[in-house]
Amino acid sequence: MSVRTPDPDWTPGDEPDVPQPTNPGWLSDLELAEVRGRLPLLYVEALPVRVDGLGQVTEVGLLLRANTVGEMTRTLVSGRVMYGETLRDALFRHLEKDLGPMAFPLLPASPVPATVAEYFPMPGITPFTDERQHAVSLVYVVPVTGTCEPRQDALEVSWMPPEEAASRAVGDELEGGRGVLVRQALASVGALR
């Protein structure tokens, strides 16, 4: 039974014959570019932290990487949520992808994020920009207990006290306004005094 609400000019049989992808969670580069030009995409971002026995944040981990023009920048663990994937699964997949399989993240019990960021390709609408797309990102503060060995395009994980991670100097090294995001995420867990 179809639950599709037809468009006003729709007649049965109007849908084109589109072959089903072999992995419906992934998009080709061409499909991704087309979607990015039409719809906001959903992302998860994680701020990895180390905590003490009382659960207080003692260190914040930021990824160091080279951007597309070769500049060294800092960033958070981040990535798209695939079609049919839970937020928890997406968060775990990106933490493992960026920090390595031995990071041992402690995912939050609730899927409620610490904060939400909305990225626009045009600066000035929000503090967050992404020249590729309009994206909505659910941001989590995630304690990690293991050894972090970055993979993918990250060169290293830099661990620093929360006050340093929230500083203007470090914020200026973060792309797309993520310095604001780090401060918001740390404030949500009471890590900033």
Side-chain angles (χ1 to χ4, degrees), residues 19-26 31:
Q20 293 299 314
T22 55
N23 183 351
W26 292 105
E31 291 169 323

Side-chain angles (χ1 to χ4, degrees), residues 9-126:
D9 59 349
W10 176 80
T11 57
D14 276 353
E15 280 84 20
D17 230 4
V18 179
Q20 293 299 314
T22 55
N23 183 351
W26 292 105
L27 299 171
S28 70
D29 289 342
L30 183 60
E31 291 169 323
L32 180 59
E34 185 176 323
V35 169
R36 279 181 167 156
R38 293 175 178 239
L39 300 169
L41 294 178
L42 180 62
Y43 280 73
V44 290
E45 291 188 271
L47 182 62
V49 297
R50 302 258 191 223
V51 296
D52 63 16
L54 296 175
Q56 300 295 314
V57 174
T58 59
E59 292 182 302
V60 177
L62 297 174
L63 298 172
L64 183 67
R65 70 177 187 94
N67 66 14
T68 55
V69 294
E71 299 169 334
M72 299 304 285
T73 61
R74 295 192 188 279
T75 193
L76 308 179
V77 170
S78 68
R80 288 190 315 273
V81 177
M82 294 189 329
Y83 179 81
E85 183 178 42
T86 67
L87 293 174
R88 181 176 299 285
D89 288 342
L91 193 55
F92 186 81
R93 178 171 57 85
H94 290 295
L95 283 160
E96 185 175 78
K97 172 186 64 90
D98 287 347
L99 301 179
M102 302 305 287
F104 301 127
L106 301 173
L107 296 183
S110 169
V112 176
T115 190
V116 176
E118 190 171 17
Y119 293 87
F120 284 92
M122 306 77 76
I125 299 173
T126 69

Side-chain angles (χ1 to χ4, degrees), residues 162-180:
E163 296 78 18
E164 182 181 347
S167 71
R168 180 175 294 288
V170 172
D172 290 344
E173 295 176 4
L174 288 154
E175 289 185 311
R178 285 185 176 87
V180 172

